[in-house]
Amino acid sequence: MRFCRRVFVVVVLLQLSSQSVSLAKDSASATNNRQLPTIISEDSNLPKHIVTGFSAGASAAVNHFVAFSKSVYGLGIIGGSPYGCNILPDAGNTCSGFASQGHKPNNSIPWPDFLKLCSTYMKNRAAKGEIDSLSNIVNKPVFLFSGTDDVWVYQNVMKATALQFQGLKANVHTEFTLPAAHSWVVDNTTCSVPLLKRKGACCGFKDPTTKCSNKLPPTPPDTFPDGCCGACYSGDYVTAGWRPPINNCNFDLSGEILKWVFGSSKIKPRDKSHVSENYLYNIPQAPFVPNNSTTKKAQLDDIGFIYIPPKCLAPSNKTLPYPKYHSTCGVHIHYHPCGGSWRDVSTGYMMQNALPAYATANNFVIIYPQSVSIGNPEGDGCFDWSGSTSDIFDTKSGAQIGTAINMMMMMREN
């Protein structure tokens, strides 16, 4: 998939708290000294949760939603592809909407026929019990965003994704009218000064002056209270991509997704003033990888993240290399875009996409699994959309989405 080859590098280098840094040190020794559990819990025990994603992460979110539809409240994505897109002819181009030659849109892709192939593929998965029953998707809220300036996953792909979920009788909302490039989209409240570059701080158009740390803790320590974002069009044919891949279109995508999934009356306004990187914990991903796999086989980074607001932090067992969250708090799983791993862009994408502000106000945690950057056959920091980890990558036994499920289960207080 072509969009997986796009490198997005994220904003703001925010200093990890001493608590989370020491956690990483403790986890390294703990991982070396003992056997860690790597199991996926039974479906009946899975907490209800929401899943979102962007670019290759959007396709991972689609796979997660379909595979675990019984336990997922709803889905929100930007720039992804239909479930089963990997089986289509010339999938690398088709699933980005590209013509076979060059970086131009292919408006003659036979999506009605292709969606029939995807439907057969999906039904076969369900019949074998590899994914949850498709009946679980009926009436589930699905929010799909695609900008008119997105040249990495063209709108015809997202329109096909909408048709797929409408065919499954999901409650689909689309926003395909804004002149946004391939980016997560925010408003003026989240990022008040678009195009404000910070030299050497992983914030600005991608060039040698916007360097990003790939070590913990990230430096320099700058929280950018006014946000860091490009303009709505940043990353189109004319302009380079912005670090992080967050653009201001004066549209609160994170908030709109949450309101569509849960209802406007149930979502409290974001609490930006109490967002802190002290609540972003780096954790080893090895303990959560399903049986018969490893982080290397699963194309996952050694380190993942979870954002736990203070009211959701539960007492933790000091022998464990990860924190715990209260079972009374909600869970939001988010899959980053290609090049959006912390190795490429530090923690800015996780902290500046407005989700932490909503998590703080509404008492939910955010799980940020991280794909590997170096040696990834899908592309730098891309989640598996094509089956490069295994032919069951998009099922309940898939290594990447199974890791995210295990993170949710094993960090939840008993």
Side-chain angles (χ1 to χ4, degrees), residues 373-397:
S373 293
I374 299 174
N376 188 336
E378 298 287 346
D380 182 6
C382 295
F383 282 101
D384 182 12
W385 71 272
S386 69
S388 59
T389 54
S390 75
D391 59 2
I392 56 172
F393 76 107
D394 54 359
T395 72
K396 290 187 287 185
S397 298

Side-chain angles (χ1 to χ4, degrees), residues 74-98:
L75 168 72
I77 65 167
I78 179 169
S81 57
Y83 186 91
C85 202
N86 56 293
I87 69 166
L88 300 180
D90 193 18
N93 288 306
T94 297
C95 299
S96 292
F98 288 176

Side-chain angles (χ1 to χ4, degrees), residues 34-88:
R34 66 188 183 87
Q35 183 67 37
L36 293 166
T38 52
I39 59 172
I40 294 180
S41 299
E42 295 297 325
D43 288 357
S44 60
N45 294 326
L46 293 184
K48 295 284 188 179
H49 58 286
I50 179 176
V51 61
T52 58
F54 166 28
S55 194
S59 295
V62 166
N63 294 339
H64 183 126
F65 175 67
V66 173
F68 293 100
S69 59
K70 181 180 178 181
S71 304
V72 181
Y73 284 119
L75 168 72
I77 65 167
I78 179 169
S81 57
Y83 186 91
C85 202
N86 56 293
I87 69 166
L88 300 180

Side-chain angles (χ1 to χ4, degrees), residues 16 20-21 23-25 27-28 214-216 281-288 295 300-306 336 341-343 347 350 368-372 383 403 407:
L16 288 178
S20 59
V21 172
L23 182 63
K25 294 178 180 177
S27 67
N214 65 353
K215 297 181 180 179
L216 295 175
Y281 297 84
N282 62 81
I283 55 176
Q285 292 193 129
F288 309 104
T295 51
L300 293 171
D301 194 273
D302 291 337
I303 295 174
F305 292 83
I306 181 170
H336 63 69
S341 161
W342 81 277
R343 299 282 184 184
T347 59
M350 292 180 277
Y368 288 116
Q370 301 286 294
S371 62
V372 73
F383 282 101
T403 296
M407 292 168 83

Side-chain angles (χ1 to χ4, degrees), residues 319-381:
T319 64
L320 295 176
Y322 46 80
K324 292 273 191 174
Y325 66 90
H326 287 305
S327 58
T328 54
C329 287
V331 180
H332 188 129
I333 296 174
H334 182 83
Y335 294 92
H336 63 69
C338 291
S341 161
W342 81 277
R343 299 282 184 184
D344 293 308
V345 295
S346 188
T347 59
Y349 177 75
M350 292 180 277
M351 293 299 298
Q352 303 263 351
N353 60 23
L355 289 176
Y358 279 105
T360 301
N362 292 277
N363 292 329
F364 63 83
V365 303
I366 311 166
I367 294 172
Y368 288 116
Q370 301 286 294
S371 62
V372 73
S373 293
I374 299 174
N376 188 336
E378 298 287 346
D380 182 6

